[in-house]
Amino acid sequence: MDRYSEPVTVDAETYIGLLRTQLTEAWGNSQAELVLAKAENAQLRTLLAKRDQQIADLNAEKPAAGSTRP
């Protein structure tokens, strides 16, 4: 009998447990990255709103455009 003809058996529960652990860690990491991205987006929106307000303020301070000739 050929030594390669016998079926190979493994304990699938061990591998399933490892995959479950890896999946749980990956899910946790992706959720943490999502929370961080949302916080970064909120900060960016705040900075952009401040910038837009500063631009609007500067535009409001400009004298009306007109001729500078006497």
Side-chain angles (χ1 to χ4, degrees), residues 46-56:
T46 300
L47 289 173
L48 291 175
K50 286 180 182 178
R51 185 200 65 183
D52 290 345
Q53 184 60 50
Q54 289 173 339
I55 291 171

Side-chain angles (χ1 to χ4, degrees), residues 3-65:
R3 67 181 181 154
Y4 297 110
S5 64
E6 293 187 29
V8 176
T9 59
V10 295
D11 182 12
E13 291 301 321
T14 301
Y15 295 107
I16 291 170
L18 290 172
L19 289 172
R20 183 177 291 119
T21 300
Q22 290 175 350
L23 180 61
T24 302
E25 289 176 6
W27 177 258
N29 288 341
S30 67
Q31 292 302 302
E33 289 175 5
L34 180 61
V35 169
L36 181 59
K38 286 181 178 181
E40 289 173 345
N41 285 340
Q43 288 178 342
L44 181 58
R45 280 192 302 273
T46 300
L47 289 173
L48 291 175
K50 286 180 182 178
R51 185 200 65 183
D52 290 345
Q53 184 60 50
Q54 289 173 339
I55 291 171
D57 292 344
L58 289 172
N59 285 335
E61 291 174 5
K62 281 185 188 177

